[in-house]
Amino acid sequence: MNPRQYLLAAMLALPAFGAAQAADVELWRLDCGSIRIGDLSAFSDTLRYQGEERTLTDSCYLIRHDASYMLWDTGLPAALLGASQEGGGMKPSLATTIKDQLSEIGVAPEKIETVGISHNHFDHVGQAADFPQARLLIGKADLDGFRAEPPAFAVDPSLVKPWLDGKGALEAVEGDKDVFGDGSVVMLSTPGHTHGSHSLLVRLAGQGAVLLSGDTVHFEEQFDNNGVPPFNVDRAQSLASMDRLQDMAKALNATLVVQHDANDIAKLPAFPAGAK
């Protein structure tokens, strides 16, 4: 997409941000795993956090738009259920599945009509194939990453096989994407972590606007110190995307939720409660 096309996409998205919300929208925070980090300095290209350890959350989200259901990210693969987090390095583990959590609130897997993906790393698409009937929304550049030979860092194409095989509805997103056409749920282009990374704006009647970060940052401190992991694909884009989310949070008086930060996800109700 050339600069003129990006400008046009942004101009088309602007009315959606200010649109009156008529739909009944509800948001649930799901437990989609955790990742034990033995050396947190791996998340800073300036080698901050030397000697620190931390467990990152791997949250994903269910959104009800009237009678339509959408998942935002699908967490770690079910193969990691009960995996040990002992030892060094990065240790992902899953305690429950999305399907099991949906059953607690009476939502059949077949009701999921849309799966929106922040980016193509395995810890955000792990359970996507459990919902093959859904339309998959993902940044075009990240879709291309699934098809690359060899696949990009942390990318496992088998996790989105139904869509790569042409059996599922698939939309490659460029720029921002108004998911339901009324401004209530908008994918926001926030490249830098990957070339096609997105965050999500959800407008709730009661709580107000909520911004879900994707992997624009992995924990709150990175906003304060401009922290960029060395495995991000573009440092300048990473910083610009961080600025975009923070500026939007101020403009909308939004709740900004860093999806990998345990303190941040606690800004939303604990499952099975939802936010409205």
Side-chain angles (χ1 to χ4, degrees):
M1 183 181 284
N2 62 42
R4 184 176 179 180
Q5 289 173 313
Y6 272 117
L7 178 60
L8 178 59
M11 291 173 66
L12 291 173
L14 282 173
F17 292 161
Q21 179 185 315
D24 181 25
V25 180
E26 191 168 5
L27 173 68
W28 289 267
R29 166 169 60 94
L30 304 178
D31 177 2
C32 293
S34 63
I35 305 173
R36 181 68 182 167
I37 308 297
D39 180 5
L40 203 63
S41 66
F43 284 76
S44 169
D45 64 6
T46 61
L47 300 183
R48 286 179 177 267
Y49 323 119
Q50 291 288 316
E52 293 187 38
E53 299 180 4
R54 190 175 302 193
T55 298
L56 301 182
T57 56
D58 201 342
S59 61
C60 46
Y61 300 84
L62 174 68
I63 299 149
R64 180 180 60 78
H65 180 275
D66 288 335
S68 179
Y69 287 92
M70 171 185 177
L71 286 173
W72 175 248
D73 283 342
T74 61
L76 291 166
L80 289 169
L81 272 169
S84 172
Q85 293 184 309
E86 298 298 321
M90 298 185 187
K91 299 290 185 179
S93 183
L94 193 66
T96 184
T97 66
I98 294 174
K99 280 186 172 182
D100 284 345
Q101 291 172 85
L102 294 182
S103 70
E104 290 187 47
I105 55 174
V107 177
E110 296 76 20
K111 287 188 176 181
I112 304 300
E113 298 178 8
T114 305
V115 173
I117 299 299
S118 64
H119 64 290
N120 59 11
H121 289 170
F122 79 100
D123 57 317
H124 291 258
V125 299
Q127 297 168 66
D130 287 342
F131 309 94
Q133 77 289 339
R135 173 182 57 146
L136 187 75
L137 304 178
I138 186 168
K140 182 183 183 302
D142 279 22
L143 177 61
D144 293 343
F146 280 123
R147 293 170 170 157
E149 291 291 346
F153 165 77
V155 172
D156 181 353
S158 70
L159 297 173
V160 291
K161 192 173 186 297
W163 297 278
L164 295 182
D165 286 351
K167 296 177 181 178
L170 174 63
E171 183 174 346
V173 177
E174 295 187 80
D176 295 336
K177 168 71 179 178
D178 186 346
V179 177
F180 297 102
D182 61 1
S184 61
V185 181
V186 182
M187 289 178 65
L188 305 170
S189 179
T190 49
H193 181 60
T194 64
H195 291 295
S197 283
H198 281 76
S199 303
L200 194 72
L201 167 65
V202 182
R203 291 180 180 270
L204 301 172
Q207 180 158 340
V210 175
L211 287 167
L212 304 175
S213 69
D215 275 11
T216 304
V217 296
H218 293 82
F219 36 92
E220 188 71 37
E221 299 98 301
Q222 290 175 311
F223 280 127
D224 297 328
N225 58 41
N226 290 330
V228 176
F231 46 80
N232 278 21
V233 297
D234 191 300
R235 193 175 210 280
Q237 284 188 338
S238 296
L239 295 172
S241 293
M242 290 161 64
D243 286 344
R244 185 184 189 195
L245 283 190
Q246 292 178 96
D247 287 349
M248 188 174 288
K250 291 175 183 176
L252 299 178
N253 193 27
T255 302
L256 176 52
V257 177
V258 177
Q259 293 181 215
H260 279 302
D261 190 318
N263 293 324
D264 256 49
I265 66 171
K267 296 173 183 175
L268 295 173
F271 188 82
K276 297 188 73 174

